[in-house]
Amino acid sequence: MVEGKPLIIVLYVDDLILIGDDQLIQCCKEDLAREFEMKDMSLMHYFLGMKVWQKDGEAFVSQGKYANEILRRFHIKKCKPMQTPLAGNWRKEHDASSEVVAATVYR
């Protein structure tokens, strides 16, 4: 807390993220720039592969790019989506006529 207002500083490798009041962020940037060589990249757009949208008092983080990369990597990007992979009304039925299977074979 600085002057009763929260200021969050996140450091990841060589990326620095400042979260808080605009005046506090500006003062913090100036103080850090006096001590370290750094450049202001303005508002964050991507962080750790996640897309970030920002507006006054709000931030939205999306992993859509990551999800699309997974689909592309496993060659399933053009597959048709389904709500659930199993039928919703499926019920297991007891089949007394089937053979007993040794469970250890399938482990």
Side-chain angles (χ1 to χ4, degrees):
M1 297 287 259
V2 179
E3 299 171 5
K5 297 177 184 175
L7 176 65
I8 300 170
I9 301 173
V10 179
L11 177 64
Y12 181 78
V13 184
D14 61 349
D15 293 326
L16 183 67
I17 300 170
L18 302 173
I19 303 166
D21 181 71
D22 289 342
Q23 288 179 320
L24 286 176
I25 290 173
Q26 190 58 40
C27 288
C28 185
K29 286 180 189 178
E30 292 168 2
D31 291 344
L32 289 168
R34 280 193 287 274
E35 294 291 325
F36 306 101
E37 181 182 330
M38 58 182 268
K39 56 184 170 180
D40 186 356
M41 303 296 286
S42 188
L43 290 178
M44 177 174 43
H45 299 289
Y46 281 94
F47 184 68
L48 298 177
M50 295 180 286
K51 179 139 177 76
V52 180
W53 291 275
Q54 299 175 65
K55 61 181 182 179
D56 289 340
E58 297 179 3
F60 178 77
V61 180
S62 169
Q63 289 185 302
K65 181 180 177 188
Y66 175 73
N68 281 325
E69 175 61 26
I70 295 294
L71 295 174
R72 187 196 61 74
R73 183 183 309 159
F74 293 101
H75 309 288
I76 56 175
K77 193 163 177 107
K78 294 182 181 180
C79 291
K80 294 179 183 178
M82 291 182 67
Q83 290 182 351
T84 180
L86 294 175
N89 59 354
W90 179 81
R91 295 189 190 279
K92 181 180 177 184
E93 294 182 13
H94 180 68
D95 185 7
S97 65
S98 65
E99 296 179 25
V100 175
V101 178
T104 56
V105 174
Y106 299 101
R107 287 186 186 174

